[in-house]
Amino acid sequence: GEDVEQSLFLSVREGDSSVINCTYTDSSSTYLYWYKQEPGAGLQLLTYIFSNMDMKQDQRLTVLLNKKDKHLSLRIADTQTGDSAIYFCAESITGFQKLVFGTGTRLLVSP
Amino acid sequence: NAGVTQTPKFRVLKTGQSMTLLCAQDMNHEYMYWYRQDPGMGLRLIHYSVGEGTTAKGEVPDGYNVSRLKKQNFLLGLESAAPSQTSVYFCASSGQGGTEAFFGQGTRLTVV
């Protein structure tokens, strides 16, 4: 079955790097995603990685995928207070966006 | 460009009442989805649609019905609301072959 797990909470200081981790169980995942949710708002796609890639970098964001261990991580460099939000890992098994979400990691960035 | 719009944004229902949540998208997307978000559980798929006139069950469909009479609209109905349906509901849409789902701002529903 499909199952995506994340740690619930991460606290960092402004300027540090943040690393949010995710594990998934279905090896047939096609795409893996990171979404950001700010308080009272919907989900915003941050980045995604195709399952045949190991790494993707997009400005301050670096996504690492370890297919053997079914482990996905999101690294945010130079974390800012505006990065405080809930971050969701999600996987897509089928060709469209029938997403399976993790529980979300609440990132708190302190000045 | 409005994207995905959900109405209403907030609603309080009494147990046993019915209501319909409306989702509208203006991106001509084929696929639409309804998710619910509960604390510590992430988002779970309720129902989805792969095109006008089609619907399918997701992970947690019980107690909900949906309709997709027009391509741009996806309605989520609660026939007899229960306190367990207190949640934040998100609608999303995606294009055929696309890699991104676009989410609405959510509807916070409380059933008392």
Side-chain angles (χ1 to χ4, degrees), chain B residues 29-94:
Chain B
H29 283 167
E30 289 295 326
Y31 308 132
M32 297 187 74
Y33 318 81
W34 275 107
Y35 291 89
R36 59 177 288 174
Q37 182 181 22
D38 300 295
M41 300 186 76
L43 279 78
R44 293 179 292 168
L45 184 64
I46 305 171
H47 285 281
Y48 63 99
S49 168
V50 299
E52 182 179 317
T54 72
T55 63
K57 293 181 180 180
E59 183 185 356
V60 288
D62 294 341
Y64 305 95
N65 57 74
V66 286
S67 65
R68 184 108 181 262
L69 298 179
K70 293 183 179 180
K71 186 177 183 179
Q72 63 268 33
N73 295 336
F74 195 29
L75 279 63
L76 177 71
L78 286 74
E79 289 186 350
S80 179
S84 61
Q85 294 177 305
T86 293
S87 188
V88 181
Y89 291 86
F90 286 99
C91 176
S93 72
S94 66

Side-chain angles (χ1 to χ4, degrees), chain A residues 30-53:
Chain A
T30 307
Y31 291 95
L32 293 135
Y33 301 85
W34 285 104
Y35 278 87
K36 176 183 181 182
Q37 184 183 34
E38 297 182 357
L43 277 73
Q44 171 195 358
L45 178 66
L46 281 180
T47 187
Y48 66 92
I49 188 167
F50 190 51
S51 59
N52 68 354
M53 297 169 64

